[in-house]
Amino acid sequence: MSISAQCPNCLFYEEDGTCRAYPEGIPGDILGGARSHRTPQPDQAVPAVRYIPATHAGFEALDPSEEEDDTPPPEWQDEQALAAERVAESPKVHRA
């Protein structure tokens, strides 16, 4: 099986074929590139982990020609919007 550029370029990838989302081993369809991991997948061990280009940690990507989509998944955008609304609606507390 060939390995796509997705996993080796990820911040969480380990050279033994595991990552933070899949500590027991990355599924072949993700490792091979048939399934994207740009959004969290239902079968992963840690729910919030997704593909994050290693370039975000100051490393160079192995394949710089791969197009990167750094847009947060829609469910994260919704959570951020809700949090911002809650902060805006919360009573202001003044401390002496």
Side-chain angles (χ1 to χ4, degrees):
M1 170 182 60
S2 65
I3 298 177
S4 76
Q6 171 181 238
C7 292
N9 286 327
C10 182
L11 177 64
F12 303 114
Y13 179 71
E14 299 292 335
E15 296 208 14
D16 64 356
T18 64
C19 71
R20 192 170 296 166
Y22 295 101
E24 301 297 318
I26 301 169
D29 58 341
I30 291 179
L31 198 58
R35 179 168 46 134
S36 174
H37 195 212
R38 292 186 185 274
T39 59
Q41 301 295 306
D43 62 336
Q44 62 188 61
V46 180
V49 175
R50 67 177 182 90
Y51 167 80
I52 296 177
T55 55
H56 285 258
F59 301 107
E60 275 192 43
L62 297 177
D63 182 3
S65 65
E66 181 174 301
E67 185 176 321
E68 297 176 1
D69 177 10
D70 297 333
T71 306
E75 60 272 16
W76 291 2
Q77 293 172 358
D78 293 343
E79 289 175 20
Q80 290 173 342
L82 281 173
E85 286 176 25
R86 287 185 189 131
V87 168
E89 293 171 357
S90 66
K92 305 295 184 231
V93 176
H94 297 282
R95 297 179 187 223

